[in-house]
Amino acid sequence: MKISKIQTHIIRVPVDEPLAGGPAAPGATREFVTLRMGTDAGIEGIGYTFFGAALTGALKHAVDALGELAIGEDPLRTEAVAAKLRTAAAGSGPGGILTLALSAIDIALWDIRGKALNLPLWQMLGGHRERVPTYASGALMRTFPLEHLVKAGPRLVEKGFRQMKTQLALPGTPRRSAKSSASGACAKPSARTST
């Protein structure tokens, strides 16, 4: 089996917060780059990546360029394809847009592999557990009003989440963030903060 074609798109999806019903900005969207990777065996893998803002077009071009280099390769040799693409883009460094573009290709390759072998991803990666814990992300953001944040945590606990990602720090020092949180009807921090 060989990779025979790639197709990318930029899609826009509404920005929402479904975990705890957070407020949405009317008309706000988030952009993703999607990748459809076809094979000569008729199996298609789908991947995606996200950068956002003004560089979404550049990310799409990076996925296109790397994807073209993958055509003709065996998609079941996931690590070999990734190594070839990293080598081809070596001058761009190990992070940044290269890693973001490569992630869409990697996801598509694993999707093809799973479909070809008729196995779920968790089994292909070792099958240590059939279930893994998840954490809630995106429900506790600094842009949300305090009234929502106070209710969001308990809602997440009611839904069964035991871990939550918070993005609540204020710009500036840890002391300023802790002081603002304490004065905003949140519990006072138990540990001292230093600058």
Side-chain angles (χ1 to χ4, degrees):
M1 179 168 41
K2 302 290 182 194
I3 298 168
S4 59
K5 62 184 176 180
I6 64 151
Q7 184 179 35
T8 61
H9 295 284
I10 294 174
I11 63 165
R12 289 175 186 84
V13 297
V15 174
D16 62 356
E17 191 289 288
L19 293 177
T29 60
R30 185 168 287 137
E31 293 182 332
F32 291 85
V33 176
T34 62
L35 166 67
R36 297 173 79 106
M37 180 179 282
T39 67
D40 59 1
I43 298 173
E44 180 181 76
I46 297 175
Y48 66 95
T49 186
F50 165 75
F51 194 57
L55 294 180
T56 300
L59 178 56
K60 180 186 181 301
H61 288 299
V63 174
D64 286 334
L66 291 178
E68 289 293 328
L69 293 173
I71 292 177
E73 296 295 327
D74 180 349
L76 300 182
R77 299 186 66 228
T78 310
E79 293 84 0
V81 174
K84 175 185 176 180
L85 301 182
R86 274 191 209 93
T87 299
S92 63
I97 207 160
L98 167 62
T99 300
L100 294 171
L102 192 55
S103 68
I105 293 168
D106 190 57
I107 292 168
L109 290 170
W110 281 100
D111 190 28
I112 290 169
R113 181 185 209 128
K115 290 171 180 173
L117 300 175
N118 196 29
L119 289 172
L121 183 61
W122 68 269
Q123 279 186 333
M124 291 188 294
L125 295 176
H128 177 66
R129 294 179 276 195
E130 291 186 16
R131 297 175 60 109
V132 295
T134 60
Y135 70 93
S137 179
L140 301 170
M141 306 287 285
R142 73 177 63 90
T143 56
F144 292 158
L146 181 60
E147 305 80 54
H148 167 72
L149 295 171
V150 168
K151 295 175 186 172
R155 281 187 196 142
L156 296 172
V157 171
E158 287 171 14
K159 289 184 173 191
F161 289 104
R162 296 179 64 196
Q163 296 88 23
M164 300 167 207
K165 180 177 181 180
T166 63
Q167 298 169 344
L168 301 174
L170 297 172
T173 66
R175 182 183 306 263
R176 177 176 171 216
S177 196
K179 183 177 178 184
S180 295
S181 294
S183 66
C186 294
K188 289 188 176 184
S190 59
R192 285 187 57 191
T193 57
S194 60
T195 56

